[in-house]
Amino acid sequence: QVQLVESGGGLVQAGGSLMLSCVASGRTFNNYAMGWFRQAPGKEREFVAAISWVRARTRYADSVKGRFTISGDHAKNTLHLQMNTLKSRDTAVYYCAAARSPWNSDYEDSNYYDYWGQGTQVTVSS
């Protein structure tokens, strides 16, 4: 089992920045990739960004490309999401996720991930 705990959410004005963090514990050596998803009220959970530890690849949703950066340290079991130029439509609960399967084209699919954190609220005021 892998436990994920997010932190760093909060209230920020439009145009501002936040950095989310996720700390993984447990059998983390089995993780091939990690990602961030978000869910706004009344909407489905959507992909934000993903990183492959083995292949050193990152991927982003078009809506955040150029504004958000995913990074982390696999050896230290930490994951970050630097969010810049935040917009009101970025308001959501942000979730950290970890996958046991090798990196593949399903990284945008929430079903690809096996473990989830409890989420952290990000609110962007306009």
Side-chain angles (χ1 to χ4, degrees), residues 1-116:
Q1 289 293 324
V2 175
Q3 294 79 43
L4 305 173
V5 179
E6 305 99 331
S7 63
L11 174 64
V12 64
Q13 289 187 336
S17 299
L18 277 177
M19 188 174 76
L20 305 183
S21 297
C22 175
V23 176
S25 60
R27 297 177 65 85
T28 54
F29 59 85
N30 286 332
N31 293 345
Y32 283 92
M34 295 187 73
W36 288 98
F37 283 72
R38 67 186 181 186
Q39 188 167 18
K43 296 187 177 181
E44 293 186 353
R45 189 170 298 188
E46 65 174 1
F47 169 76
V48 175
I51 186 167
S52 164
W53 299 123
V54 176
R55 300 191 179 189
R57 292 179 180 174
T58 58
R59 295 291 185 269
Y60 298 92
D62 288 342
S63 60
V64 306
K65 201 171 294 184
R67 300 188 298 123
F68 290 12
T69 302
I70 188 171
S71 65
D73 187 329
H74 192 201
K76 297 182 179 180
N77 300 320
T78 58
L79 182 73
H80 303 291
L81 183 69
Q82 177 65 45
M83 306 185 294
N84 298 328
T85 318
L86 283 161
K87 305 177 181 181
S88 57
R89 56 185 173 91
D90 295 319
T91 295
V93 177
Y94 283 71
Y95 297 91
C96 170
R100 294 178 301 185
S101 303
W103 179 265
N104 59 52
S105 59
D106 291 336
Y107 60 84
E108 293 186 16
D109 187 345
S110 61
N111 292 318
Y112 166 66
Y113 299 87
D114 301 284
Y115 306 104
W116 294 85

